[in-house]
Amino acid sequence: MNILEQISTRLSVWFYYIAGAAIVIMMLMTTTDVVLRFFGCPIAGTYELVCFFASIAASFAIAHSFVTKGHVAVDLLVRLLPLRLQALVDSITNSLSLFLFGCITWQCWLYAGELKSNAEVSLTLQLPFYPFVYGVAVASGIASLVILVELIEKIQKVVQK
Amino acid sequence: MSVTTIGIIGIVILVILLFSKMPVGFAMALVGFVGFCYVVNINAGLSLISRDIWESFSSYGLTVIPLFVFMGQIAFQAGISRRLYDAAYIMFGARRGGLAMATVGACAGFSAICGSTNATAATMASVTVPEMKRYNYDMGLATGTVAAAGSLGILIPPSIILIVYGILTEQSIGQLFAAGIIPGILLGFLFLLTIYIRTLISPNIAPAGEPRSLQEKLKSLVGVGETLVLFILVMGGIFLGFFTPTEAGAVGAFLVLLISLVRRQMNWKRFLQSLADTTRISCMVMIIVTGAIIFGHFMAVTRIPYTLAAWVTALPFPAYFVMGIIILIYLFGGCFMDALAMIMLTIPILYPVIQHLGFDPIWFGVVIVLITEMGVVTPPVGVNVYIVHGTVPEVPLEKIFRGVFPMLLAIILCNILLIFFPEIVLYLPNLLY
């Protein structure tokens, strides 16, 4: 259990760093493009690359945001319940979240494979889509992992004497 | 079971999940996904989820979110709020209530580079409340002012909520930004008026400061210069069509970073902190938007939004009556839920109703954003009040809520004006587009 928690936390932090780096790259690339456009030589394909980096920025941060309770949730009612009941409600919602992210991981993985075999590429740079979709799939997998860790924790709290 | 019934069951389950503390974006995505599987078929639902997620994460429209959040967070870390306040303080400080007025002015200035009400309230509280305390201001007035004036952050562009509203309803972000300017300035003036009236009633709550010479006042304007230039560059670029909103966000973030480096107010640690917050906030926003998109696709196959729109239009009530009810829903919902989440949750259902009734989507966006944002200063979940309390823990929550109350009246008055005089919202966008 402890090892699983350590691994998932570490992975979520690494992915979080990558997501942050993606945002910095988006900023620098777009600014450079705007400045160079002013001089008549924009960077071709900025549009596509920014979209690709945005997909990394969003998906790679999901797991870490979950661990640090960064996702907006309404805890108005649950807060009033006794602690064990709170843990029970949390384990139910965590199971549902796990189911959701399990499906997302699975389906994004399949979708990436599909894009790969169809050899779909972006318009200007002819970059393949699939590596980024695999990225989203892996990031969702890590999100599933951190949700699983929290689920186990909550279940332990429920059954604890 | 008819698809409408399934849709209604879906909505009920969604509300239950939300109140069970499930993250809002997750809950919308889950209900949307399972509902879509049930109404259409499992394979369609499974492929919907991967495509919706990929398409929304990689859509150019959404790239604007992290960049504007980044711009605001860098400004937050770089002490720009301090300089804005110093300038406003020299301008207004000699008047009774002047420091509170300076707070409103500085919040308005900071709103012009930051799109979040929470960040505006947080950064301003730490700068302004200690000053007001030093000059023996009533702490209720001081904290209430900064908590409420933070709400200027969502009206004065850039505004993260208006960006997200624009993405979901396919409205121009440039137009929405333009639409927020006059209401934002109006609200700022109403705040100033409220403070003025309060100091007339009880002069002791806000003693006057020392007078400043005209020379000092003119000099203080330098501190406002960079913010003004940034605002004109970024917003002007969007309005003139020189930038896309994404490009404006990127250039804005870069310029704020550059300014703070030149002024030696940015170091590696602060930069990383702003980046970490940006990453977390952007991810949170993108997840909610994506959840709303998936949920919206489920709602579309149940046809509930259209059925509801047709039903409401057929009701023997005037359109304004229906709008009144919708506003009450937002008012109530905004008290319990984060404004962004509340808007994302309801837009897939209510937006067709608004269109059917013939209301202007730009006007509606600005009005509901301001209404739900009232929730940030009202109990039980007045986020801004908690944020201000966090920076000055010695002032009890009740005192801040009481101090906010007169400012809340100003927000309500502003809303009434926007509702009855839509031109306040629509004048600029019509002029520019």
Side-chain angles (χ1 to χ4, degrees):
Chain A
M1 173 59 206
N2 248 333
I3 297 172
L4 188 63
E5 189 176 349
Q6 274 174 10
I7 294 174
S8 68
T9 312
R10 194 161 294 174
L11 280 174
S12 72
V13 171
W14 285 343
F15 269 57
Y16 189 59
Y17 290 156
I18 300 174
I23 294 177
V24 176
I25 295 172
M26 282 165 73
M27 174 187 79
L28 293 177
M29 201 160 59
T30 311
T31 310
T32 317
D33 179 49
V34 170
V35 173
L36 289 181
R37 193 173 61 199
F38 192 71
F39 297 107
C41 49
I43 311 170
T46 304
Y47 181 94
E48 291 160 10
L49 285 173
V50 166
C51 292
F52 285 154
F53 281 115
S55 74
I56 294 175
S59 59
F60 280 37
I62 299 174
H64 188 260
S65 299
F66 185 84
V67 176
T68 53
K69 308 279 171 264
H71 293 294
V72 178
V74 184
D75 65 347
L76 212 62
L77 290 183
V78 176
R79 217 170 36 192
L80 305 174
L81 299 174
L83 282 180
R84 183 175 286 189
L85 209 54
Q86 279 190 27
L88 180 67
V89 173
D90 285 342
S91 18
I92 295 169
T93 53
N94 279 336
S95 319
L96 293 172
S97 302
L98 182 59
F99 167 72
L100 175 71
F101 276 90
C103 289
I104 293 174
T105 310
W106 171 42
Q107 283 306 310
C108 283
W109 191 267
L110 290 184
Y111 185 44
E114 206 179 295
L115 290 172
K116 189 181 177 186
S117 58
N118 295 345
E120 295 220 24
V121 292
S122 66
L123 222 54
T124 317
L125 294 178
Q126 308 282 310
L127 274 179
F129 285 111
Y130 75 88
F132 298 95
V133 185
Y134 274 127
V136 174
V138 172
S140 313
I142 292 171
S144 313
L145 197 62
V146 296
I147 298 170
L148 176 69
V149 169
E150 196 177 299
L151 174 63
I152 296 172
E153 235 168 68
K154 296 290 177 187
I155 291 177
Q156 279 172 343
K157 263 189 200 158
V158 177
V159 295
Q160 216 168 50
K161 285 269 154 64
Chain B
M1 211 165 19
S2 75
V3 285
T4 318
T5 321
I6 297 168
I8 293 171
I9 294 173
I11 294 173
V12 172
I13 293 176
L14 176 61
V15 172
I16 295 173
L17 289 179
L18 289 180
F19 281 101
S20 312
K21 217 176 90 183
M22 188 158 177
V24 176
F26 293 10
M28 281 194 281
L30 179 73
V31 172
F33 161 56
V34 175
F36 199 90
C37 286
Y38 192 84
V39 175
V40 187
N41 60 54
I42 291 183
N43 285 333
L46 288 171
S47 79
L48 171 91
I49 196 169
S50 56
R51 276 150 188 80
D52 270 358
I53 283 181
W54 169 246
E55 269 158 30
S56 104
F57 281 4
S58 67
S59 86
Y60 190 70
L62 282 176
T63 57
V64 65
I65 295 169
L67 295 170
F68 269 111
V69 173
F70 200 23
M71 179 176 167
Q73 291 300 324
I74 298 172
F76 177 77
Q77 293 289 339
I80 286 182
S81 47
R82 175 90 241 172
R83 285 199 294 285
L84 286 170
Y85 186 63
D86 287 346
Y89 172 72
I90 292 174
M91 293 301 269
F92 295 108
R95 307 183 63 90
R96 208 186 283 145
L99 294 186
M101 293 177 182
T103 304
V104 173
C107 280
F110 195 71
S111 304
I113 40 175
C114 176
S116 146
T117 152
N118 304 348
T120 307
T123 183
M124 281 301 161
S126 58
V127 174
T128 63
V129 177
E131 287 296 310
M132 289 193 265
K133 193 171 177 185
R134 200 153 66 90
Y135 282 90
N136 287 325
Y137 270 50
D138 173 67
M139 278 294 107
L141 174 77
T143 51
T145 302
V146 70
S151 65
L152 291 170
I154 45 111
L155 277 182
I156 298 178
S159 157
I160 301 298
I161 300 194
L162 283 178
I163 290 174
V164 172
Y165 174 84
I167 291 167
L168 220 59
T169 58
E170 295 176 336
Q171 294 299 317
S172 142
I173 289 170
Q175 282 194 36
L176 283 164
F177 277 180
I181 295 179
I182 298 179
I185 295 172
L186 172 70
L187 183 60
F189 272 108
L190 290 173
F191 283 151
L192 293 181
L193 190 68
T194 313
I195 295 167
Y196 180 69
I197 294 172
R198 285 192 71 185
T199 53
L200 276 188
I201 298 171
S202 35
N204 295 334
I205 58 172
E210 57 222 73
R212 305 284 183 144
S213 68
L214 186 66
Q215 207 179 2
E216 272 180 292
K217 284 185 181 174
L218 288 177
K219 221 166 143 191
S220 75
L221 287 177
V222 178
V224 188
E226 66 204 2
T227 306
L228 199 65
V229 169
L230 260 173
F231 183 75
I232 291 173
L233 260 174
V234 171
M235 290 305 141
I238 298 179
F239 296 151
L240 293 175
F242 187 69
F243 295 148
T244 63
T246 301
E247 289 165 349
V251 172
F254 184 77
L255 287 178
V256 179
L257 187 61
L258 205 63
I259 291 172
S260 55
L261 281 173
V262 170
R263 288 203 179 249
R264 297 178 185 280
Q265 268 166 329
M266 183 52 77
N267 54 34
W268 186 237
K269 200 177 145 208
R270 285 185 186 167
F271 174 74
L272 285 185
Q273 187 58 48
S274 64
L275 185 58
D277 290 338
T278 303
T279 311
R280 186 176 42 77
I281 296 168
S282 317
C283 170
M284 177 271 279
V285 176
M286 306 265 271
I287 289 291
I288 292 184
V289 175
T290 309
I293 290 172
I294 297 173
F295 181 68
H297 282 149
F298 164 52
M299 281 292 105
V301 293
T302 66
R303 305 204 50 77
I304 283 186
Y306 317 105
T307 317
L308 182 69
W311 178 74
V312 168
T313 331
L315 287 176
F317 303 123
Y320 268 98
F321 179 79
V322 179
M323 179 53 84
I325 291 179
I326 291 176
I327 285 173
L328 285 180
I329 294 175
Y330 278 101
L331 191 60
F332 184 73
C335 291
F336 292 95
M337 206 181 274
D338 178 76
L340 178 73
M342 177 68 199
I343 289 172
M344 291 303 100
L345 202 63
T346 47
I347 285 300
I349 306 170
L350 289 179
Y351 188 61
V353 177
I354 302 304
Q355 285 177 308
H356 253 253
L357 291 173
F359 287 104
D360 188 288
I362 300 280
W363 168 81
F364 180 68
V366 173
V367 168
I368 55 162
V369 161
L370 184 56
I371 288 174
T372 37
E373 279 290 339
M374 279 163 58
V376 300
V377 287
T378 54
V381 276
V383 186
N384 274 10
V385 172
Y386 291 113
I387 289 174
V388 173
H389 179 64
T391 51
V392 272
E394 67 274 15
V395 184
L397 275 175
E398 305 79 52
K399 189 161 189 156
I400 308 181
F401 274 122
R402 266 205 307 275
V404 157
F405 184 71
M407 306 300 265
L408 193 62
L409 294 180
I411 304 182
I412 294 172
L413 179 62
C414 182
N415 253 313
I416 293 173
L417 289 172
L418 298 191
I419 290 166
F420 287 100
F421 304 99
E423 304 80 36
I424 301 174
V425 179
L426 296 174
Y427 176 74
L428 262 190
N430 289 342
L431 190 74
L432 290 168
Y433 288 89

